[in-house]
Each structure stands twice: as C-alpha cells, then as structure tokens.
Amino acid sequence: MQVSQSKKKTGVIAPKRFVQRVKKQNELFRSYMHQDAHEFLNFLLNELVDILEKESSAAKESPQSSSPEKVPNGVVHPLANGVKKEPPVTLVHKNFQGILTNETRCLRCETVTARDETFFDLSVDIEQNSSITSCLKNFSSTETLNAEDKFFCDKCCSLQEAQKRMKIKKAPQILVIHLKRFKYIEQLGRYKKLSYRVVFPMELKIGSTSDDVDTEYSLFAVVVHVGSGPNHGHYVSLVKSHNHWLFFDDENVEMVEESTLQTFFGSSHEYSGNTDHGYILFYEGLGGKS
C-alpha cells in the first residue's frame, strides 16, 4: 500500500506496521533477541494461510469452519466425523506447496508403506564442498531402520528392520530450500554454524514421482546469514528483478553482478574469515518440464 501510494519512484519503506503485526501475532518476535530467518519464514507462510482461509470461510459464510492446526512445514486440517474436510486452496498453497512421499519397505515381507505429506520448504543437511544437487540427492537417499529404530510392520505385526526414503511426489511452483547450517554438537553442548561451501546453481532440475519428469527452476532470491555463530549475526538478501540482481542490506540497496552470488557459497576451510553464507534459496519454476 505504501509503495503504490508513494509519489516517489525510488525510496525506502519502513515496515513498521508489518513488524507491529508480527509482534502482536507471535510473542517470540516481541523481544530484541535475534530470530532465525527460516523459523520466521515458516511462521509467516502459516500465518498467511490462516488469514486467507479465514477470509475464504467468512466469504462463504460458513459458521462451521474450523481453524487449521499450525505446524512448522504447512497446515494439518482436522477431521469432521471421520471425513476429511478439504481446506480452501490459497495463494500460498498454489505457489509454495509441494508433496513428499515417505516410503518404508519392510525387509522381511517386502511390504511398502507410503504416506504423503505436504511441504512449503525443504530443509536439507549440508556437507563440506558439496552442491544443492548432492544435498537433494542425500535428502532422498535410502535409510536403514534397525536396532532401536526398527519399523512396526502392520503385515508382520511386529518390529522389523526396514528401509526408508523420502521422495518428491509433486514439485511446487516456488521451491524453497533451507540449508541446515546450524547443527547441535554434543561435544560442545551447543549449536555451531557450519560454514561449509555449498554451491547453488542459477538453474536447477528436480524430479517428481507423479509426473515422472524433471521440473526446471531458476534461482531468483537468496537469504544470507552473516556471522560466525547461531546466536548472533545479521541477514541480508539478494533478489533478481528485471534480469538484474539487487543486494538488500537493511535500507541499503545496490545492484550487483550475478557472479557476486558465488561469494555466498560458503567457505572451503573451517577457519575462514568469510562469514557470509547462503541460508535460504528461492527457486521459481520455469513452467517447462523436461
């Protein structure tokens, strides 16, 4: 609203009303403590879904509509008399929601149990000198469940060793990838920031089981965490607009070359002076599939 009503072609908008609303809705953001950008993104998307669904229900004058239960990676809707109530499809769902299939195969009877779940973003583990492609490959890799982690097979009616894997059933229009740069180290008794070098390409292809084809994506935004640890630091972002990359640091905005993004891949060595690392990546589907 402020942008559309502004008489100036350029300038800075102070998001005071937006921040006030965020603090009102969630007490975690009322203090001056540093907050995690990924947690904030999840809160924001879920809150938008909640608001849009309530507006849709009000428009249909449905007095029996119920609010969805908020969860970190989407929403879970309650069942009414054992019948699943289909929620309205909001702009958030259309743009950000994908579907994962969690497959578990019993190693005794070979029965495969599959469960679908929706997601707004993918949180992937990272390794030193790796790439987004390899991180996504590891995300879908097969895991063996044994010892204390055995799987209860309904057909065998007992705990059995099993193999588990996560596959993308339906890729979203906007793919959000969260790099898990903050890891709890038991020896230290605290979280540590992983400065690993993880290359993220300008173009990306993601396979899905429902279409059996690859969805092509183009990188259009990156959230960067600046700092050496999880409890302090600063966030900056890079956004592609009209085929130009813009660098945002609070009220400072400047145009940068595409090659600048390479400086945010991470550090090849643990003790590096570079503390600016890509944290959340935003890819937009190109529409074409190959």
Side-chain angles (χ1 to χ4, degrees):
M1 182 66 73
Q2 286 179 281
V3 176
S4 62
Q5 294 179 349
S6 176
K7 296 180 180 180
K8 297 180 181 180
K9 292 185 177 180
T10 61
V12 175
I13 298 296
K16 294 181 180 178
R17 293 174 63 183
F18 173 74
V19 173
Q20 289 173 354
R21 179 65 183 268
V22 169
K23 290 182 177 180
K24 180 181 179 181
Q25 296 298 115
N26 193 318
E27 61 181 12
L28 289 176
F29 302 108
R30 293 173 193 170
S31 68
Y32 290 97
M33 293 180 61
H34 290 273
Q35 303 296 333
D36 181 74
H38 179 241
E39 291 179 359
F40 175 73
L41 174 64
N42 278 322
F43 159 75
L44 184 61
L45 291 178
N46 279 288
E47 196 65 29
L48 286 172
V49 166
D50 194 12
I51 293 171
L52 292 172
E53 288 185 345
K54 286 180 179 178
E55 288 182 351
S56 177
S57 297
K60 294 178 181 179
E61 296 182 352
S62 175
Q64 296 181 354
S65 61
S66 57
S67 299
E69 174 191 349
K70 296 180 185 177
V71 294
N73 246 349
V75 292
V76 174
H77 292 266
L79 301 180
N81 297 326
V83 179
K84 184 176 181 181
K85 184 177 180 181
E86 290 296 330
V89 178
T90 68
L91 286 174
V92 176
H93 293 108
K94 290 179 181 179
N95 287 295
F96 293 93
Q97 183 171 279
I99 301 176
L100 290 172
T101 297
N102 191 338
E103 287 187 352
T104 307
R105 181 170 65 92
C106 176
L107 293 181
R108 181 185 180 189
C109 67
E110 300 293 325
T111 299
V112 176
T113 303
R115 186 183 78 253
D116 289 349
E117 54 187 77
T118 60
F119 68 92
F120 285 156
D121 66 86
L122 296 178
S123 292
V124 298
D125 292 311
I126 61 174
E127 296 178 351
Q128 179 60 286
N129 294 320
S130 60
S131 66
I132 290 299
T133 303
S134 63
C135 290
L136 290 172
K137 186 176 180 180
N138 291 335
F139 178 82
S140 298
S141 62
T142 301
E143 175 189 1
T144 300
L145 304 178
N146 52 26
E148 296 87 9
D149 298 323
K150 284 184 178 180
F151 169 73
F152 185 87
C153 177
D154 290 334
K155 188 173 183 179
C156 298
C157 294
S158 60
L159 293 172
Q160 297 293 336
E161 291 188 351
Q163 288 185 333
K164 176 183 176 182
R165 68 173 300 193
M166 193 83 75
K167 298 190 294 185
I168 296 177
K169 181 177 182 179
K170 181 182 178 183
Q173 174 60 27
I174 297 178
L175 176 65
V176 182
I177 302 177
H178 162 237
L179 305 183
K180 296 166 74 171
R181 288 200 175 275
F182 303 112
K183 182 178 181 180
Y184 186 79
I185 309 298
E186 291 188 6
Q187 296 90 329
L188 301 176
R190 59 179 174 82
Y191 280 90
K192 177 184 178 182
K193 181 180 179 182
L194 304 178
S195 61
Y196 298 162
R197 176 179 170 83
V198 181
V199 176
F200 44 87
M202 297 299 108
E203 308 293 333
L204 183 67
K205 287 186 178 182
I206 296 291
S208 58
T209 58
S210 59
D211 298 328
D212 201 27
V213 291
D214 291 342
T215 301
E216 297 182 352
Y217 288 95
S218 178
L219 184 71
F220 73 93
V222 180
V223 174
V224 175
H225 179 268
V226 181
S228 57
N231 299 318
H232 59 276
H234 181 59
Y235 287 106
V236 298
S237 60
L238 297 99
V239 180
K240 190 175 184 179
S241 176
H242 299 90
N243 291 321
H244 295 288
W245 281 95
L246 301 176
F247 178 79
F248 293 84
D249 183 358
D250 291 338
E251 73 275 13
N252 299 313
V253 182
E254 61 178 296
M255 191 177 296
V256 296
E257 297 293 329
E258 185 177 285
S259 58
T260 304
L261 275 75
Q262 299 178 17
T263 62
F264 303 110
F265 286 168
S267 310
S268 298
H269 307 286
E270 182 176 359
Y271 301 103
S272 171
N274 178 20
T275 62
D276 305 359
H277 310 121
Y279 186 48
I280 306 175
L281 312 175
F282 293 81
Y283 283 91
E284 183 178 19
L286 298 177
K289 295 182 178 181
S290 61

